[in-house]
Amino acid sequence: MTRLTHDDVKDISENLQDLEDFLVNTTGRKIKNLACEAGGMWEHAVRPEAFSVAVVPVTSGLGVISKFTESVRDIAIWMGFDAYVTDATDIAGFAEAVEKKADMILMADDDEFVAYNTEARKQADNSSCTAKGYIAALNAVAGTVIGKEVLVVGAGRVGSRACQFLKAKGAKVTVTDIDVAKSYAVAERYPGVKVAEDPVEAIRAADLMINASPAHIDSENIRDGAIISSPGVPHTFDEAAYSKATIIHDPLVVGVSAMIMQSAFYSYTGCRR
Ligand code: 2YJ
């Protein structure tokens, strides 16, 4: 799994308005609207101002990423939540959040990133919510994905969840990965998902794509008019790619906004167990 870097997140807080404008122009949705669609909820299902959201810095593994927790906090505030970064890190930070009666606690280490709803006792996880957020964006730009062929590039955690959710939404899903065994494992897990063994050939034929891979996609392999919803990090699409295709990407906001909304929604769906 790709770990975010300081460079990935350093400008996120300052650029939220630009991202909002970009998403409105390309998808017709604000950050919050996409997050709601990702979770299958309508906008007024959640009252963000009623939630106290704590973001806890985690020092384990490779440690704190400068501006990571601040960016997560600012995404929550952008959507109207009452959010803060805890003074303490790790378990002490968690304890501080509990002490302050946080309704939601977000924490990320090098492998996992969760938004825990303390009232509902349920968590929203970053991989699933990132997949759902980028599917919502693809669905919005394409009109719908129902009945359409969608290629998922990358059979890792986000890519495999994307296959699962796209299939459930009624798309015709093909997965491709340089590691063919990973593609077949996803196809076996989610019946009906097809495998394309040659990623380049598959990308050349694709009109709709979720790119959940860190690998570079060459602009010459992209179809004119393609729609590429791309959570993959690093993001290496060049000018030529942008001139051929509609490409949606940001390293954190689409996934985190979907996590926060999903987690908040648990308080309204009454599912305590
Ligand atoms: O608190 C901090 O500053 C750090 N411990 C943040 C670590 C961020 N983690 C990642 O970037 C991992 N790739 C986890 C992503 C979750 C799965 N999509």
Side-chain angles (χ1 to χ4, degrees), residues 254-273:
V254 172
V256 167
S257 58
M259 281 171 87
I260 292 170
M261 272 297 165
Q262 171 99 73
S263 185
F265 192 50
Y266 292 146
S267 289
Y268 296 92
T269 47
C271 35
R272 290 183 63 83
R273 303 230 183 324

Side-chain angles (χ1 to χ4, degrees), residues 1-5 8-9 55-70 72 89-90 106-114 125-128 130 157-158 251-252 259:
M1 184 179 307
T2 312
R3 188 175 189 270
L4 294 173
T5 64
D8 290 327
V9 298
V55 189
V56 180
V58 173
T59 65
S60 71
L62 294 173
V64 161
I65 299 169
S66 165
K67 293 273 178 154
F68 176 81
T69 47
E70 293 85 349
V72 172
T89 65
D90 306 293
L106 286 98
M107 305 178 79
D109 66 11
D110 297 340
D111 298 314
E112 298 292 341
F113 182 11
V114 298
D125 114 275
N126 181 258
S127 298
S128 294
T130 299
R157 278 160 73 167
V158 175
L252 194 66
M259 281 171 87

Side-chain angles (χ1 to χ4, degrees), residues 45-56:
V46 166
R47 280 196 313 119
E49 66 278 10
F51 284 82
S52 162
V53 175
V55 189
V56 180

Side-chain angles (χ1 to χ4, degrees), residues 185-251:
V186 169
E188 197 176 332
R189 192 155 174 206
Y190 305 117
V193 172
K194 293 166 281 181
V195 170
E197 294 194 355
D198 182 341
V200 171
E201 197 180 292
I203 290 163
R204 284 193 166 147
D207 291 313
L208 303 182
M209 211 188 299
I210 298 280
N211 174 41
S213 157
H216 176 72
I217 294 181
D218 212 295
S219 62
E220 71 185 25
N221 295 323
I222 296 172
R223 268 177 102 101
D224 277 320
I227 304 168
I228 307 175
S229 196
S230 187
V233 178
H235 184 70
T236 59
F237 289 97
D238 59 15
E239 289 276 317
Y242 273 90
S243 68
K244 287 173 103 174
T246 301
I247 301 173
I248 298 134
H249 171 77
D250 95 278

